[in-house]
Amino acid sequence: FAMTTKTNAAVDLLYKIRERQDSFVDPAMTRSILYKKRTESKHPRDVVVNFDWEKREATRTNFGEKSPPIQIVQGSFDPLALLYVLRLQDLRENSVIEIPVTDGQTNYRVKVTVGKRDSIEIQGKMYDAFEVTPDMDRLEEVVKKSENPQLKVWYTADAQKIPLRINSKAGIVTFVFELISVLPEPERRRIQ
């Protein structure tokens, strides 16, 4: 999985961000194998987290500087994979799901609350969706330093559970990611 973040020209004047995250998971979606995060901003990063499942360790490097490996629990995922692992869960209103996550420095169980099922509009189209809120107090190192971090994700309320919108707030900065398009069904099948 890959996610890129780029602030627009107006925001660049205050806090320019260019970021790419890559998450590699096993084909059965039971655990992460590799995670990369490269950020160009006031706080640059070039993070790589390798998962060694034989030793049950994760080793993190940042700009090539290696941190000591940490022990990880079976079935741990990286922060980006969490967004996709949730698609495999049984999303029901007012339920809580726990998923083990590591960034290569810390292990934690992210509690994810499935909120109300509602309609949301994106680019003039209405979607039936679940609002999902991960416990942000422990999700990621950038967020740990922020006051009242928030993250909300809306997934389609169907079998595909496509992420439609991601709202993220850290301090005074708010990011909104929205679905641009979905491949037509024949193309999706061909890719799988």
Side-chain angles (χ1 to χ4, degrees):
F1 305 110
M3 180 162 60
T4 57
T5 305
K6 180 181 177 183
T7 50
N8 63 29
V11 176
D12 280 352
L13 297 173
L14 298 171
Y15 195 82
K16 182 178 179 179
I17 294 177
R18 302 291 183 269
E19 181 175 273
R20 179 178 171 109
Q21 294 181 60
D22 293 281
S23 170
F24 300 84
V25 299
D26 69 318
M29 286 288 292
T30 61
R31 59 191 181 188
S32 287
I33 298 169
L34 178 67
Y35 173 68
K36 297 179 179 183
K37 180 177 182 178
R38 184 171 179 81
T39 307
E40 296 174 27
S41 71
K42 291 179 184 176
H43 305 286
R45 289 186 185 84
D46 188 8
V47 171
V48 176
V49 180
N50 285 294
F51 292 76
D52 183 336
W53 287 105
E54 287 183 18
K55 294 180 180 179
R56 241 196 242 176
E57 292 179 344
T59 304
R60 175 187 173 110
T61 61
N62 189 17
F63 290 107
E65 187 176 317
K66 194 174 187 178
S67 298
I70 63 167
Q71 292 295 304
I72 53 177
V73 299
Q74 191 63 36
S76 291
F77 290 94
D78 62 77
L80 178 58
L82 173 67
L83 293 173
Y84 295 93
V85 171
L86 286 170
R87 296 180 68 189
L88 302 175
Q89 307 303 310
D90 181 19
L91 301 182
R92 288 176 284 132
E93 283 184 316
N94 304 313
S95 62
V96 176
I97 301 164
E98 287 192 29
I99 298 173
V101 175
T102 185
D103 60 4
Q105 291 181 311
T106 308
N107 291 304
Y108 34 91
R109 294 192 71 79
V110 175
K111 289 185 181 180
V112 179
T113 303
V114 181
K116 62 182 177 175
R117 183 175 177 168
D118 204 354
S119 294
I120 65 168
E121 183 178 349
I122 296 177
Q123 296 183 3
K125 184 175 179 181
M126 297 302 291
Y127 294 91
D128 184 21
F130 284 108
E131 178 184 297
V132 177
T133 308
D135 175 8
M136 289 300 292
D137 290 336
R138 304 181 56 172
L139 190 54
E140 213 175 313
E141 63 189 21
V142 173
V143 175
K144 285 179 189 173
K145 298 174 186 173
S146 304
E147 280 188 40
N148 301 317
Q150 299 171 9
L151 178 70
K152 289 189 184 294
V153 184
W154 285 262
Y155 291 91
T156 57
D158 59 14
Q160 293 181 308
K161 299 179 189 118
I162 297 170
L164 298 167
R165 177 182 293 147
I166 303 170
N167 284 6
S168 175
K169 182 177 180 187
I172 62 168
V173 179
T174 299
F175 295 98
V176 178
F177 304 88
E178 287 190 340
L179 177 71
I180 296 172
S181 66
V182 177
L183 290 174
E185 184 65 30
E187 288 184 50
R188 282 198 307 261
R189 281 194 207 131
R190 195 173 64 233
I191 291 172
Q192 295 172 351

